[in-house]
Amino acid sequence: MAICEMCGRVGDLVDSIVEGANMQVCLECSSYGHVVTINQPVVDKKIEREKELKTKPIVEMIDCVVDDYSEKIKKAREKKGLKQEDLAKDIAEKVSVIHQLESNKLKPSFKLAKKLEVFLNITLISQFEQNLSKKEESIDFKNDAVTIGDLLKEDEIK
Ligand SMILES: [Zn+2]
């Protein structure tokens, strides 16, 4: 039968360090300010880290080809008075490529988009914010190997 060494109640006990002594106490007693629990910090640390990741989203700017690229290319080409064939020749691409670009069937590569940007004097590549928090979280927790031994070492340092 598990009896709390502090209050004498019977229930689930946790290993705690009470004023330097190792004791088995109930959850209620382990929550008292002067009790340092061994089991509890493992949970607390993870919750703290999760909170940190949720409140501080990791955002990175990434280059992306704009969604309305086909419209932009078509308008700019027509403005220059060029046929699809002409544009294809000028930027050394196949007519079929220009046709697919303008009919929204082919998203240009960065190389092709940059070539079109320069030749047609338009913007096809734009920066977007990408939230990397979720990725970071999964990586972080894979490498997260906090053991009770580690926590005790940390406590000794403090
Ligand atoms: Zn107790």
Side-chain angles (χ1 to χ4, degrees):
M1 194 60 81
I3 298 164
C4 174
E5 289 179 43
M6 278 190 82
C7 68
R9 235 178 296 190
V10 178
D12 290 328
L13 302 182
V14 293
D15 288 316
S16 297
I17 300 166
V18 184
E19 283 158 14
N22 213 327
M23 288 177 85
Q24 292 261 305
V25 299
C26 70
L27 287 168
E28 209 173 305
C29 288
S30 75
S31 67
Y32 290 161
H34 61 280
V35 178
V36 183
T37 67
I38 295 170
N39 293 338
Q40 217 59 20
V42 182
V43 180
D44 286 350
K45 272 217 161 181
K46 279 200 172 169
I47 291 166
E48 267 173 41
R49 190 162 296 173
E50 269 177 275
K51 270 186 197 165
E52 206 176 294
L53 284 167
K54 271 172 195 163
T55 52
K56 285 188 205 159
I58 301 141
V59 173
E60 197 181 74
M61 299 303 285
I62 52 156
D63 285 335
C64 272
V65 173
V66 295
D67 287 334
D68 59 344
Y69 64 88
S70 48
E71 205 181 308
K72 283 192 168 179
I73 294 165
K74 197 178 182 207
K75 273 188 186 166
R77 176 180 59 77
E78 284 170 350
K79 212 173 150 189
K80 275 184 168 261
L82 295 171
K83 286 178 187 168
Q84 285 190 343
E85 288 85 357
D86 301 324
L87 176 61
K89 264 187 202 167
D90 284 331
I91 64 163
E93 292 291 342
K94 285 178 186 168
V95 183
S96 60
V97 171
I98 306 299
H99 181 74
Q100 281 184 308
L101 287 173
E102 289 188 9
S103 53
N104 219 349
K105 280 176 189 158
L106 174 78
K107 196 161 190 171
S109 63
F110 279 124
K111 202 178 156 192
L112 180 55
K114 283 200 172 118
K115 204 152 67 166
L116 287 159
E117 276 189 333
V118 173
F119 187 77
L120 297 170
N121 197 22
I122 53 173
T123 306
L124 293 176
I125 297 165
S126 186
Q127 285 208 318
F128 289 87
E129 273 187 9
Q130 193 188 38
N131 197 325
L132 298 170
S133 301
K134 279 196 175 170
K135 250 192 220 167
E136 283 292 315
E137 201 170 5
S138 61
I139 292 163
D140 199 57
F141 279 101
K142 251 182 219 168
N143 298 332
D144 191 16
V146 180
T147 62
I148 286 170
D150 288 332
L151 288 166
L152 286 175
K153 270 179 216 156
E154 271 179 37
D155 285 343
E156 278 169 26
I157 293 158
K158 278 169 199 170

